[in-house]
């Protein structure tokens, strides 16, 4: 058992003892944070209470985008098989939220049945009513990818006249609910239609506090020429910059995520590299899931703390008998001043406060007389959790990560390029000549030999000093040249013979062409005369 031992006199009791991160998060939430949330009506303003399934569920990926940007096709591409309820077309086809999850048999679970299943993390979606639940299903199927992650497909975001038709439920609020609980949010854009509609803009703003989870995919990029693609990419970054108010640039992956031939194959290498980067990002989710849940609990605790200060301040300002309505209007209108005072008095960062306009709208429907005054004990408990328990839980997170270092998404498209000649970079750079019978360096060895014999070899070898004079001509930094030297000096005698010198020049050429150097010399690059040494 993993235990925490502390001697901090300020703590009222011994530190908590947990076996797993999931168990620790559940217990901390129920015993320390939930009482504060319930006392100050946090769930009516921000987010429903968390349940065990929220801490136990697999990592989830949320796909968001306008209609016909390839969201459903993207899932089909990852899974390499159809899933129940899947519909693909150029018109707005997916009109439901579809949670694609692992199951023993293929089938669909309707929304009303889904929100009463305690094993699924969707019970609190019940608050959005039948209009939403009739548009929410879970597609279950056996698939190796879904053993590690779940994927949420969403209805296409509408543009033009279509967005004026009400969906019957608060679409942005539903997406915000999912955003709080998922591990990755992927915004998909079509390279042919970059316009960000009013509804899409509203959705992106609703995801404001989750920029760390957001990634952008510029899909269908094989349908435009390189020059146009460069302009489209620039236009997309400009549009996102106006909506996502962060100093950092959101990571944009460019590609064509479906199993059809590329229409314009000019950028094939770029698409392959981008796809591998995106796949690595998704594959890392199971390994980082515990840390993400811990991070989200911290964010929630900070918001709950601020919310408690806001509600108790409003309660304190309310008169006990007369003039309640007028005072309520005055307090709501001056909420910004209350924010500033709380920020000043309690040294709270402005970024921890909820959206001012949204909070004002929600307060209009509340009865201020039912608000609770400040209860220091509840706040101290949460402070204690943040200062001590969370810090100790981080140790357990790292321990779990070290015990499962290889935990990652497998199967489907993730294994399509894992092995064999279609792996990313196969036969390129240091991998060139991997399947050739002849030593690949031998092609240019006559040219390297001419240089070698001008460097005054003694007994068929040149010194490190003489080799350095030639190698620095490449203008590569010493750190890179040092690595090349270690790879090329196979017998580790501090000198290079003609084959080792040719190998060093070959590796310099690989680096100058923009490829990465291997950490260990691949077997196909070993000079023929040295292959017995390494065996």
């Amino acid at each position: 058992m993993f235990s925490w031992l502390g001697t901090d006199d300020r703590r009222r009791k011994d530190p908590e003892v947990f076996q797993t991160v999931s168990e620790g998060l559940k217990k901390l939430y129920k015993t320390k944070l939930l009482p504060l949330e319930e006392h100050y009506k946090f769930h009516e303003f921000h987010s429903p209470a968390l349940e065990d399934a929220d801490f136990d569920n697999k990592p989830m990926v949320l796909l968001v985008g306008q209609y016909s940007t390839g969201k459903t096709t993207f899932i089909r591409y990852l899974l390499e098989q159809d899933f129940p309820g899947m519909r693909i077309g150029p018109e707005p086809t997916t009109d439901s939220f579809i949670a694609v999850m692992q199951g023993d048999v293929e089938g669909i679970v309707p929304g009303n049945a889904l929100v009463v299943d305690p094993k699924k993390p969707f019970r609190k979606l019940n608050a959005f009513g039948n209009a939403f639940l009739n548009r929410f299903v879970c597609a279950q199927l056996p698939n190796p990818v879904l053993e590690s992650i779940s994927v949420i497909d969403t209805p296409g975001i509408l543009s033009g006249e279509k967005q004026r038709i009400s969906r019957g439920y608060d679409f942005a609020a539903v997406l915000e609910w999912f955003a709080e609980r998922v591990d990755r949010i992927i915004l998909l854009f079509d390279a042919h239609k970059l316009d960000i509609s009013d509804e899409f803009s509203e959705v992106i703003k609703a995801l404001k506090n989750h920029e760390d989870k957001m990634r952008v995919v510029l899909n269908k990029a094989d349908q435009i020429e390189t020059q146009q693609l460069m302009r489209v990419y620039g236009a997309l970054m400009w549009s996102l910059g106006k909506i996502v108010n962060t100093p950092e640039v959101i990571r944009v992956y460019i590609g064509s995520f479906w199993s059809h031939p590329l229409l314009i194959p000019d950028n094939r290498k770029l698409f392959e590299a981008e796809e591998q980067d995106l796949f690595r990002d998704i594959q890392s989710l199971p390994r980082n899931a515990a840390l993400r849940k811990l991070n989200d609990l911290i964010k929630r605790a900070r918001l709950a703390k601020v919310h408690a200060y806001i509600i108790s301040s409003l309660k304190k300002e309310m008169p006990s008998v007369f003039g309640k309505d007028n005072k309520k209007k005055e307090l709501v209108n001056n909420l910004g001043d209350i924010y500033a005072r709380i920020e000043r008095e309690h040294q709270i960062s402005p970024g921890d406060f909820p959206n001012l306009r949204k909070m004002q709208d929600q307060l209009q429907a509340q009865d201020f007389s039912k608000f609770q005054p400040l209860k220091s004990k509840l706040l101290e408990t949460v402070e204690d959790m943040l200062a001590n328990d969370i810090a100790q839980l981080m140790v357990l997170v790292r321990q779990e990560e070290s015990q499962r270092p290889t935990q990652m998404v497998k199967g489907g498209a993730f294994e399509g390029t894992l092995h064999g000649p279609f792996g990313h970079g196969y036969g390129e750079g240091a991998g060139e000549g991997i399947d050739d019978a002849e030593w690949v360096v031998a092609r240019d060895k006559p040219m390297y030999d001419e240089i070698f014999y001008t460097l005054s070899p003694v007994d068929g070898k040149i010194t490190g000093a003489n080799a350095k004079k030639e190698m620095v001509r490449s203008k590569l930094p010493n750190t890179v040249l040092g690595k090349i030297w270690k790879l090329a000096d196979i017998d580790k005698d501090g000198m290079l013979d003609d084959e080792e010198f040719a190998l060093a020049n070959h590796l310099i050429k690989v680096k100058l062409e923009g490829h990465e150097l291997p950490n260990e010399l691949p077997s196909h690059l070993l000079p023929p005369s040295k292959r017995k040494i390494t065996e």
Side-chain angles (χ1 to χ4, degrees), residues 524-535:
H524 71 278
L525 286 183
L526 277 170
S529 66
K530 303 284 192 297
R531 289 178 185 174
K532 289 181 181 178
I533 296 174
T534 58
E535 286 176 1

Side-chain angles (χ1 to χ4, degrees), residues 290-350:
L291 195 57
R292 192 276 303 169
K293 288 169 184 169
L294 185 63
N295 184 56
D296 283 355
L297 188 70
I298 295 168
K299 280 201 286 189
R300 188 181 180 98
R302 291 167 73 94
L303 179 60
K305 245 176 61 184
V306 173
H307 178 77
Y309 283 127
I310 294 169
I311 297 300
S312 58
S313 293
L314 294 172
K315 172 69 175 177
K316 187 178 178 183
E317 296 286 338
M318 284 296 287
S320 54
V321 184
F322 300 112
K324 290 185 179 181
D325 288 343
N326 289 336
K327 188 63 177 177
K328 175 181 173 180
K329 287 177 186 175
E330 181 191 327
L331 289 171
V332 170
N333 290 334
N334 296 331
L335 189 61
D337 296 335
I338 294 171
Y339 275 20
R341 190 177 74 243
I342 294 170
E343 182 186 332
R344 219 172 28 249
E345 288 177 3
H346 302 283
Q347 289 82 48
I348 294 171
S349 166

